[in-house]
Amino acid sequence: MDARFLGITDLTEAPSVAVVVDVMRAFTVAAWAYAQGAEKIVLAESLDEALALKARHPDWVTLKDGPPAPGFDAVNSPGLLRSLDLGGRTVVQKTTAGTVGALAVKEASLVLCAGFVVAEATARLLRTREYGSVTFVVTGDDGHADEDLACAQYIARRATEAGTDAAEFLRRAGESRAAAELAEGVRQGVHPDDVALCLELDRFSFAMVATLEDSLMVLRPCAAPSPTDEASDRARPLPSGPTSYSAS
């Protein structure tokens, strides 16, 4: 697999397969939203769009980076989100990096959104289908966020070398500037457990796939093939058109 690691501003064209990585905290939060029962997550282009969607759908749950704000029901914190019951709800998420990265590659045939909490499931999907080229979008800090790059590199390695150990990649993420800012309270809308939750390897067994649905970019959980299914799945011909997966 030919893996490229690019920041959002480095994207000059839509890749065929994209893995958008935001460890601290967008896609850790998204995974927790599904663990708390959310039906789907809509990735909003802007805060105004998120509020407009909320106005049209009052039962939807809106969340954003930073401190609580009028019109928003939650903040982008896994530690805070894990106490919410999201059973059957639609979540509208707008963040400064993760959602922006996913929307930047919305024309790709396959868009996976990931953090360490879904790393193995994401790698397994890539490993099963043996894609020739995969673009990893490093969303934080203009493409220089080491927690996102470390996670992207780990998933890329796991996609080709299933025995790759995560320790060094998790260490880098834990020593990143984002981790320090969260731990020191520099960022707002933070729970003390956020860093630990973002570094919890393979907490969830699903991957997350984003697709355009009626002009909205919608993120859904996706069941990854089990290890025993990988050999048979790799034997199947690759699809000639866009790839889709059944939600878990």
Side-chain angles (χ1 to χ4, degrees):
M1 182 183 77
D2 176 26
R4 298 191 304 160
F5 304 91
L6 300 176
I8 296 171
T9 58
D10 298 323
L11 295 163
T12 57
E13 59 185 5
S16 176
V17 178
V19 179
V20 187
V21 180
D22 189 325
V23 173
M24 297 181 186
R25 296 164 282 174
F27 298 137
T28 301
V29 166
W32 270 100
Y34 286 119
Q36 296 304 105
E39 178 185 352
K40 66 180 179 182
I41 297 173
V42 176
L43 306 178
E45 295 266 6
S46 64
L47 295 176
D48 286 342
E49 183 188 31
L51 292 173
L53 289 168
K54 177 72 173 181
R56 295 200 297 271
H57 307 278
D59 59 324
W60 286 12
V61 177
T62 47
L63 68 86
K64 60 178 281 295
D65 279 332
F72 288 86
D73 305 297
V75 295
N76 192 48
S77 160
L80 295 171
L81 194 74
R82 63 183 172 174
S83 64
L84 298 182
D85 178 7
L86 299 174
R89 307 286 293 278
T90 293
V91 174
V92 180
Q93 185 181 34
K94 171 66 180 85
T95 70
T96 55
T99 60
V100 175
L103 288 162
V105 292
K106 62 184 179 181
E107 302 299 332
S109 297
L110 174 64
V111 178
L112 298 169
C113 296
F116 281 109
V117 292
V118 295
E120 177 57 24
T122 305
R124 192 176 296 157
L125 279 179
L126 297 174
R127 191 163 62 235
T128 300
R129 298 282 33 148
E130 297 183 340
Y131 292 104
S133 177
V134 177
T135 296
F136 289 83
V137 183
V138 179
T139 61
D141 196 17
D142 293 325
H144 300 291
D146 201 38
E147 74 281 2
D148 293 340
L149 179 59
C151 183
Q153 290 172 336
Y154 173 67
I155 292 171
R157 287 279 297 276
R158 290 287 298 188
T160 56
E161 303 173 30
T164 300
D165 185 77
E168 175 62 17
F169 301 95
L170 289 168
R171 181 196 64 76
R172 285 169 51 195
E175 295 175 357
S176 67
R177 186 174 74 175
E181 289 178 351
L182 289 174
E184 295 167 6
V186 174
R187 301 186 184 188
Q188 295 180 295
V190 176
H191 187 278
D193 293 340
D194 277 357
V195 173
L197 291 172
C198 290
L199 299 179
E200 196 170 17
L201 185 67
D202 301 332
R203 171 68 187 246
F204 307 110
S205 61
F206 54 82
M208 296 185 293
V209 178
T211 56
L212 285 170
E213 300 182 16
D214 297 325
S215 78
L216 295 175
M217 195 65 165
V218 177
L219 186 65
R220 295 184 184 273
C222 167
S226 68
T228 56
D229 291 337
E230 287 189 43
S232 60
D233 285 346
R234 282 196 294 268
R236 299 174 187 168
L238 289 174
S240 56
T243 304
S244 62
Y245 295 96
S246 298
S248 59

